Amino acid sequence: IILFPHTRLFLTYMRDKIVLQFFPKSFHLVQSGLLPGKSAKTIGLAGRLKEAHKVLALGGAVWIAGDGLQGKEKITLTRFGRRFPFRAGAAELSVQTGAPIIPVFPCLRPDGGIEVEFLAPLVSRYEDIPAAQVEDIVRQYAEIYVNRWPKMLPYLRPGRLGKRLKDLDK
């Protein structure tokens, strides 16, 4: 399970240069585009989760953003004058399937290029308690993400960075 930051700035790059090149079998697990209504959303999400399980069972990769506005909020951290919400979907999928979670963090270079860092898989300290495993993994990712966040876009001018902040809050 590849866990990456939810920003439009990096999404296409992450998909084209990382996921699709290294994992011909891959699935982007998102909640956007589901039909309206609670029942329809539940059915649609169940289908997407089934597909994610299938791809992982075939040795492929599921890529998902652990932050953002979709899904049930599990943990919220407030730093740098803004609120960072984190979702439990990737951690839940990992606990259900045994697939490792690999955090991936891009960083914008001064020349406009992107450097990408793959971190070691997140491992929970709790072995036999699935709910505690999920919370522990989400908390680990949240701490890493928030501490790295200012480094992801260090060369953007303050006005442009402000626009990106607003994009994250949409």
Side-chain angles (χ1 to χ4, degrees), residues 22-114:
F22 294 106
F23 298 97
K25 264 272 188 245
S26 67
F27 184 70
H28 184 195
L29 184 55
V30 295
Q31 289 190 18
S32 62
L34 293 173
L35 295 173
K38 188 174 182 176
S39 301
K41 284 184 179 181
T42 301
I43 292 167
L45 186 56
R48 289 180 184 182
L49 287 170
K50 184 177 178 181
E51 181 66 21
H53 280 256
K54 180 179 156 188
V55 167
L56 289 172
L58 293 172
V62 170
W63 51 299
I64 184 171
D67 60 307
L69 299 177
Q70 297 176 355
K72 185 178 176 186
E73 195 171 306
K74 185 71 173 171
I75 292 173
T76 301
L77 298 181
T78 304
R79 297 209 184 123
F80 310 111
R82 75 176 302 271
R83 186 177 160 272
F84 293 88
F86 295 90
R87 312 297 180 220
E92 289 170 346
L93 186 61
S94 175
V95 169
Q96 290 169 4
T97 64
I101 291 183
I102 313 279
V104 178
F105 287 96
C107 177
L108 189 63
R109 293 190 321 237
D111 65 0
I114 298 172

Side-chain angles (χ1 to χ4, degrees), residues 102-144:
I102 313 279
V104 178
F105 287 96
C107 177
L108 189 63
R109 293 190 321 237
D111 65 0
I114 298 172
E115 291 179 12
V116 178
E117 183 177 2
F118 291 78
L119 277 61
L122 298 177
V123 178
S124 175
R125 297 169 291 193
Y126 304 97
E127 293 180 23
D128 298 329
I129 309 167
Q133 288 176 316
V134 168
E135 186 160 336
D136 187 36
I137 290 169
V138 174
R139 186 164 302 285
Q140 286 178 51
Y141 181 70
E143 290 291 338
I144 294 167

